[in-house]
Amino acid sequence: MQTEIATDTKEDPDPSHGPDSLKEFRSAGRGFWNQVDEASWNDWRWQLQHRITNVQQLQRLMPTLTPEEHAGATLANHKLALAITPYFFNLIDPADENCPIRSQVIPRVQETHTAPWEMSDPCGEDSHSPVPGLVHRYPDRVLFLVTDRCAAYCRYCTRSRLVSNATGYDFHPEFDRQIDYIRRHPEVRDVLLSGGDPLLLNDERLEALLTRLSAISHIEFLRIGTRIPIFLPQRITPQLCEMLRKFHPLFISIHSNHPRELTTEAREALGRLADAGIPLGNQSVLLRHVNDDPEVMKVHVQKLLRCRVRPYYIYQCDLIAGSAHLRTSVRQGLEVMENLRGHTSGYAVPQYVIDAPGGGGKVPINPDYILSRTADQVVIRNYEGQVFEYPEAADGAPLVKARASFEASLVG
Ligand code: SF4
């Protein structure tokens, strides 16, 4: 197996990163690893074994590391481990300090700065955890943490307290206790497997877990949250898809933030999951200089649909300790949303949410489309700023005027 890194053969990054260029699907290429044989490169285990995990490797592959990144990478393993798959590393533009891929996975020293309002557990998961590895925050569904490992680590991870075990959280899921809790709670109808990344489990372990969960009579459907199709599309093998299709209804939420993450490799991996009948949604985190540009986000959501993935949520970045340099304002988030609704297909428009700090759950955030509301009418505006009046009905009373004009429009 050939595994040497040829450090002088990095393919030129895309010279143009404008919205038109971002629409195209490109391969991540082989970059520094062009000496590696095809079978190894396409083997997800090879990709995991050859991840970039320390500052020396990073500096060697990317001499353009800034002092902030160098210091951040040196300290990284005190907060959240540094790990980047060779495949994903090839998406980084080493010539661009503000590369939207780079800032998601290469630590900066700013991670050591903590604002007073930042937290290690911003969503209050630990306080809603009846047994280790299980979060029961909402009435009818639970979050089932499967592992603390990911293929690569996002510098803004909301679970950085436990993911990668860099802070010594010492996370040990106890599947028996987690499953037992679900069995004893018939109100739980929906289980979301997350972590860490559940698709890092091998096929056999994942199948065993899905089998046990789907055997619980009150579980109506299962979900998996994963960033694997983006960090490690090689993991989405035909065998994995064959196994997953046995557990319908099974939904998968992926996590992609920027159109450049949607490569030909990612599109093919997502296509395999879609062909297995799995409904796919995407969750993006709104990040400064990554996807807080309305045009970039528009390209991203449109490109997701072309990958057969429905944009599901845009999250305001949680108040995770050391993430201030990546957070963008709610005002900017609203501008992003304003540029989507009405300006592109409804299927491409996700819900913007803030996970209420401390464990309040997801709160939908929308631009103000209702201008005023009285007992008699609602005044609304559309995406072009045109204003309309809609007659309000007394509770239970039909909207006679509105119905008459609606029927007239049908006849006409
Ligand atoms: S893939 Fe998910 S769990 Fe893993 S580091 Fe990124 S955000 Fe955190």
Side-chain angles (χ1 to χ4, degrees):
M1 182 185 292
Q2 174 61 268
T3 58
E4 286 88 21
I5 296 170
T7 53
D8 58 348
T9 52
K10 180 83 171 83
E11 289 165 1
D12 283 341
D14 173 8
S16 160
H17 294 157
D20 282 344
S21 159
L22 293 175
K23 283 182 188 168
E24 293 169 23
F25 289 93
R26 294 167 191 265
S27 167
R30 299 291 287 278
F32 296 107
W33 292 270
N34 67 354
Q35 304 294 314
V36 176
D37 64 84
E38 194 73 12
S40 300
W41 180 257
N42 291 322
D43 179 345
W44 64 279
R45 290 190 170 86
W46 182 94
Q47 289 281 336
L48 287 178
Q49 283 159 5
H50 291 84
R51 288 182 297 178
I52 296 122
T53 56
N54 61 53
V55 67
Q56 291 80 12
Q57 289 172 311
L58 198 55
Q59 178 76 56
R60 184 166 150 238
L61 294 168
M62 209 169 85
T64 54
L65 222 51
T66 65
E68 289 80 14
E69 288 170 332
H70 191 279
T74 304
L75 295 169
N77 292 346
H78 297 287
K79 179 204 167 202
L80 178 69
L82 161 64
I84 311 171
T85 55
Y87 159 83
F88 197 73
F89 184 84
N90 280 346
L91 299 180
I92 293 174
D93 179 354
D96 179 5
E97 277 185 29
N98 291 316
C99 164
I101 306 299
R102 180 172 177 161
S103 56
Q104 293 184 59
V105 289
I106 296 187
R108 295 187 185 184
V109 74
Q110 288 90 327
E111 286 185 13
T112 59
H113 308 163
T114 302
W117 48 84
E118 291 182 336
M119 295 167 254
S120 64
D121 180 14
C123 299
E125 292 180 341
D126 287 347
S127 60
H128 290 95
S129 183
V131 297
L134 198 90
V135 179
H136 195 173
R137 167 70 192 75
Y138 298 99
D140 68 343
R141 53 209 185 272
V142 292
L143 175 65
F144 191 117
L145 302 180
V146 171
T147 171
D148 63 355
R149 302 296 139 145
C150 299
Y153 294 109
C154 314
R155 305 320 306 175
Y156 50 85
C157 177
T158 209
R159 257 174 234 132
S160 52
R161 72 189 184 285
L162 70 86
V163 160
S164 89
N165 200 31
T167 63
Y169 186 96
D170 214 16
F171 175 72
H172 292 290
E174 296 181 38
F175 289 180
D176 287 345
R177 288 183 68 192
Q178 290 162 274
I179 291 170
D180 181 57
Y181 178 89
I182 296 169
R183 277 204 195 102
R184 288 186 289 104
H185 286 79
E187 73 276 19
V188 175
R189 40 170 286 285
D190 164 10
V191 178
L192 168 60
L193 302 186
S194 184
D197 205 310
L199 294 189
L200 277 189
L201 263 56
N202 65 33
D203 292 0
E204 293 71 30
R205 284 197 70 203
L206 188 57
E207 181 169 10
L209 178 57
L210 291 170
T211 301
R212 293 179 73 185
L213 288 169
S214 59
I216 300 172
S217 59
H218 53 268
I219 296 304
E220 296 175 9
F221 85 122
L222 299 169
R223 291 188 278 166
I224 295 176
T226 176
R227 212 177 173 190
I228 287 279
I230 302 302
F231 281 152
L232 185 64
Q234 298 80 3
R235 171 69 183 103
I236 311 299
T237 60
Q239 296 75 19
L240 174 71
C241 296
E242 269 312 299
M243 183 274 282
L244 292 175
R245 72 186 311 154
K246 292 190 239 168
F247 296 98
H248 286 314
L250 171 70
F251 284 50
I252 287 186
S253 289
I254 68 158
H255 172 179
S256 169
N257 290 326
H258 188 274
R260 262 168 52 200
E261 295 167 31
L262 299 171
T263 59
T264 49
E265 292 91 333
R267 182 178 59 182
E268 284 162 19
L270 293 165
R272 288 192 286 279
L273 289 169
D275 284 346
I278 301 170
L280 300 171
N282 181 66
Q283 312 193 101
S284 289
V285 178
L286 193 67
L287 298 168
R288 181 186 294 266
H289 301 320
V290 173
N291 55 14
D292 60 345
D293 177 316
E295 287 308 308
V296 170
M297 186 59 93
K298 192 194 282 179
V299 173
H300 185 229
V301 293
Q302 291 171 342
K303 213 169 163 184
L304 281 165
L305 286 187
R306 291 159 70 199
C307 293
R308 304 161 71 182
V309 180
R310 166 87 153 94
Y312 178 36
Y313 281 129
I314 293 178
Y315 287 94
Q316 178 67 15
C317 185
D318 288 330
L319 298 174
I320 188 75
S323 64
H325 60 296
L326 287 167
R327 263 201 308 282
T328 195
S329 64
V330 175
R331 184 180 56 251
Q332 187 63 21
L334 288 169
E335 216 171 286
V336 166
M337 293 308 298
E338 187 79 59
N339 191 50
L340 295 180
R341 174 65 64 198
H343 296 274
T344 190
S345 329
Y347 269 114
V349 182
Q351 176 64 60
Y352 178 35
V353 290
I354 298 179
D355 231 320
K362 294 180 190 68
V363 179
I365 307 293
N366 293 306
D368 295 327
Y369 293 108
I370 297 182
L371 302 180
S372 69
R373 199 161 61 134
T374 65
D376 301 324
Q377 68 172 12
V378 183
V379 180
I380 53 176
R381 68 158 175 99
N382 72 1
Y383 73 103
E384 294 167 307
Q386 293 171 310
V387 177
F388 303 86
E389 293 169 2
Y390 186 89
E392 182 66 299
D395 283 350
L399 277 172
V400 178
K401 266 170 67 181
R403 180 185 291 169
S405 64
F406 175 65
E407 282 170 2
S409 76
L410 289 181
V411 175

